[in-house]
Every structure is written in structure tokens, then in C-alpha cells.
Amino acid sequence: MRKNIVAGNWKMNKTLEESQALTKDLLAKVPANTNTNVIIAPTFPNLYPVQEMIKDSNISLAAQNAHFEESGAFTGEVSVEMLQSVGIETVIIGHSERRSIFGESHDLLAQKSSKVVKAGLQLMFCFGEVLEDRKAGKHFDVVKSQLEESVFQLTADDFKQVVLAYEPVWAIGTGETASPEQAQEMHAFIRDLLKDKYGEDTAENTSILYGGSVKPNNAKEIFSKPDVDGGLIGGASLKADDFVSIVTAF
Ligand code: PGA
């Protein structure tokens, strides 16, 4: 059975003090009995202090990025081993902001993906089309090639550690959401690709999250779709009440 997951991508937001305050609020408000896997992704300097706060809770931590080398002369980068040493369980790779602002290529994302799963961590792999692709009716082709050129290079065994996050770029931070039907249509397409590539079991057991302007007022409808197994939440993850109402929207 695949897991329901709600992950908060804090992006480049929150100082140490603010991260601790938000975490404290989440610890008080995320229901202890939730069946949803709750993940938060603070910035690098705040991962360890937040980890110290959440270690005995049902919230776990993701890093927003990682390098594929273990150590060395890579100024400004952070390795998977370093993240693991401070208790990180998940690494987000391939976010559209990493692709568009920092120029991360399919090859680089394939290397990073491989590194994360080989280290035994959960990989949350993001992808999605831009508006021009959708307008041109190319969104299925674009998503297929994004997967094939990177995360589909993992072996079936490694793929057990993968969570996919479909994030149409035109819906990220814009207030514009894919309709629940558009999300379902794409998620079903992705699950079919998984079936062709890795077989029925992997297809059924891989969580596919939707991301892009998920808010308390639209989460329930999006999550009600059979192939949507949760969300990757940006803006609405920065306020405890909004994030918790999305966590409890299943
Ligand atoms: P958003 O961001 O919820 O603010 O649209 C989603 C994301 O970038 O993961």
C-alpha cells in the first residue's frame, strides 16, 4: 500500500528562530494519530536544530537539495552523507526552481537521485511541465521525458525509495492550481509509465504527490483523486494552521 504524504517545502524562508517557532507550532497541532506521513523541509542551517525538536514526533525532515559527491572541493554544496549524519530521511531533488534558476540538467538530477537512494534515503523527485508545454498539448511528452532522462534510470530495487512529486510549473507559487481532474489525469498517466517501466507492484506502491498552490481550501478535493497520494506544499507550509489543515485534508 502506498503512503499518503504531505511535505512542506519551506524554500529559502525562515531564520533559525522562525523555523523553531513554526516547528513548535506544528508539533502542537499535527494530530498524533494521523495516517499521513508529514515531512518538512527547512533550509540547510536549520535542519539540525529542527531535527532536535522533532526527533520523537511523527514529523520527519527533508533537505531541499544535495550534491552527488560524498565530500571534497565543492564550495557551497552539501553531501547526502552530511544530511544523513544529522538525521535527514528524505531529499528533494529536481524541484523546478533548481532546474530553471540553477540550471540543473537531467544528467545532474540522475546522478543526485542515484546518490540519494544508494545512501538509503527517501528520494522525493519533482518534475512538471511549463505553461507553454501545456498550451501546446505537450505536457504528457514533457513529463515522460523528464522521468525517462533522470529518475527512471534507477533500478527497480532502488525505485522503492522514490516518491514522485508532479508539480506543473505554471501552478507553483502562482495561486493557480491544476484542477483535481487535471492532476488525476497526469497522475494516472505517470502511474501507467511506472507500470510499463517497473511493473504493477512498483506502480501501485509509489506515492505520487501533487504540488502547485495547494491550499487549505483546495487540498481535500485534490487529495480525493485516486492517484493523488498527497502534496508538496510551498507557500501554505509556512503557516502552521494552513499546513495542518492540508495534512488533515484526506
Ligand atoms: P506552492 O509551491 O505551494 O507555493 O505553489 C509548491 C512547490 O514549489 O513545491
Side-chain angles (χ1 to χ4, degrees):
M1 261 303 275
R2 54 188 186 257
K3 302 169 276 191
N4 286 336
I5 299 171
V6 174
N9 175 9
W10 294 5
K11 307 192 179 182
M12 198 176 76
N13 291 294
K14 309 260 176 214
T15 61
L16 171 61
E17 209 176 308
E18 290 163 352
S19 300
Q20 288 170 322
L22 176 54
T23 305
K24 191 165 169 229
D25 225 4
L26 291 174
L27 286 169
K29 291 174 177 168
V30 170
N33 61 355
T34 179
N35 288 324
T36 303
N37 277 31
V38 181
I39 301 175
I40 53 176
T43 54
F44 284 135
N46 296 322
L47 284 169
Y48 185 61
V50 169
Q51 170 64 11
E52 287 291 288
M53 296 174 74
I54 58 147
K55 60 186 173 197
D56 298 321
S57 77
N58 59 356
I59 301 174
S60 72
L61 274 191
Q64 298 173 19
N65 184 25
H67 193 61
F68 60 84
E69 294 284 357
E70 189 174 333
S71 62
F74 301 100
T75 300
E77 294 293 326
V78 173
S79 74
V80 171
E81 285 76 8
M82 290 164 193
L83 296 171
Q84 212 161 16
S85 75
V86 295
I88 276 42
E89 294 175 15
T90 301
V91 183
I92 300 170
I93 296 290
H95 191 280
S96 71
E97 288 146 20
R98 299 295 322 166
R99 294 172 190 261
S100 66
I101 305 171
F102 302 100
E104 296 198 354
S105 65
H106 295 309
D107 276 355
L108 180 67
L109 299 177
Q111 280 179 290
K112 289 183 173 200
S113 297
S114 169
K115 177 69 196 187
V116 171
V117 295
K118 293 268 181 273
L121 298 186
Q122 174 163 271
L123 167 67
M124 187 173 290
F125 188 82
C126 308
F127 54 95
E129 81 283 359
V130 298
L131 189 58
E132 294 71 48
D133 297 330
R134 185 161 278 266
K135 281 187 174 158
K138 290 190 196 146
H139 42 298
F140 294 114
D141 289 346
V142 167
V143 161
K144 185 168 186 241
S145 79
Q146 285 176 327
L147 293 171
E148 281 174 350
E149 289 179 46
S150 48
V151 75
F152 276 13
Q153 291 176 23
L154 297 176
T155 64
D157 208 34
D158 286 344
F159 208 88
K160 294 191 178 111
Q161 288 154 244
V162 176
V163 170
L164 296 177
Y166 167 61
E167 300 201 296
V169 178
W170 47 272
I172 296 178
T174 58
E176 184 155 350
T177 337
S179 69
E181 291 70 30
Q182 284 173 320
Q184 169 56 28
E185 184 186 34
M186 182 59 87
H187 284 222
F189 172 74
I190 295 162
R191 212 174 292 289
D192 278 346
L193 294 177
L194 286 172
K195 196 167 145 194
D196 291 346
K197 171 79 186 166
Y198 293 111
E200 180 88 42
D201 272 9
T202 303
E204 284 310 310
N205 290 322
T206 302
S207 300
I208 308 175
L209 314 186
Y210 169 79
S213 299
V214 178
K215 307 283 179 213
N217 63 3
N218 59 23
K220 206 176 185 68
E221 215 188 332
I222 297 172
F223 294 172
S224 71
K225 295 295 174 191
D227 288 296
V228 178
D229 307 308
L232 180 54
I233 320 300
S237 71
L238 298 174
K239 289 195 187 126
D241 288 335
D242 286 357
F243 188 62
V244 172
S245 82
I246 296 170
V247 166
T248 53
F250 283 97

